Amino acid sequence: MKVAAITGFSGAGKTTLIVALIRRFAAAGARVGAIKHTHHVLNEEHRGDTGAFLDAGAEPVVLAGKDEAVVFRHSGTMRVPYGDERELLQQFGDDDIVLVEGFKSSDAWPQVGLSRERRMSVEEAAEILDRIWRSP
């Protein structure tokens, strides 16, 4: 399983880029999942960023709070406790790729950092991810 986080401050385009990457990888036949880290109260509603990830083709989508996460699948949702963010990867058994939004202070997986000053294209991000995932 290939995993990478897209990180950056609010307004840097993380969600927009991840949605585009999910669509790109899913169209190429990859099974894609996503994790969204939040500091807000967890919800089980198909809306916002998690809804956008599901609608783009990711499954499952995990909304991760402080010590608990909500796992969204087309068949329904469930809450799971976790200690270390790496434990969340247990929810992605058959996925080829997992894209993470957030956890910018984590070293659990490689990161691609975005800035508000310069938007990264989906092609550029895909090339960077390919280099990351090919490196030993």
Side-chain angles (χ1 to χ4, degrees):
M1 172 184 328
K2 300 173 182 176
V3 182
I6 306 298
T7 62
F9 291 105
S10 179
K14 300 179 299 291
T15 301
T16 302
L17 181 60
I18 290 172
V19 166
L21 287 167
I22 291 168
R23 286 186 179 131
R24 178 188 180 111
F25 292 136
R31 292 168 301 209
V32 184
I35 298 172
K36 163 75 177 184
H37 185 222
T38 185
H39 297 287
H40 299 288
V41 175
L42 293 177
N43 71 76
E44 297 181 25
E45 299 172 17
H46 181 108
R47 63 180 171 92
D49 295 351
T50 53
F53 295 163
L54 280 166
D55 293 343
E59 185 173 355
V61 173
V62 174
L63 178 61
K66 186 175 185 294
D67 298 313
E68 184 180 39
V70 178
V71 181
F72 292 83
R73 297 183 189 280
H74 292 294
S75 59
T77 62
M78 69 177 186
R79 288 183 178 248
V80 295
Y82 74 97
D84 182 275
E85 55 269 20
R86 290 172 188 87
E87 294 174 25
L88 297 171
L89 295 177
Q90 296 169 5
Q91 303 302 319
F92 300 92
D94 292 334
D95 286 278
D96 302 307
I97 296 170
V98 177
L99 297 173
V100 180
E101 179 176 338
F103 285 112
K104 65 181 165 219
S105 60
S106 173
D107 64 354
W109 33 65
Q111 296 185 16
V112 176
L114 302 183
S115 72
R116 292 183 198 135
E117 292 76 36
R118 183 184 167 281
R119 296 289 175 141
M120 185 179 295
S121 72
V122 67
E123 292 80 14
E124 184 180 2
E127 289 174 13
I128 291 169
L129 291 170
D130 186 53
R131 283 196 306 270
I132 288 170
W133 292 332
R134 278 188 290 135
S135 65

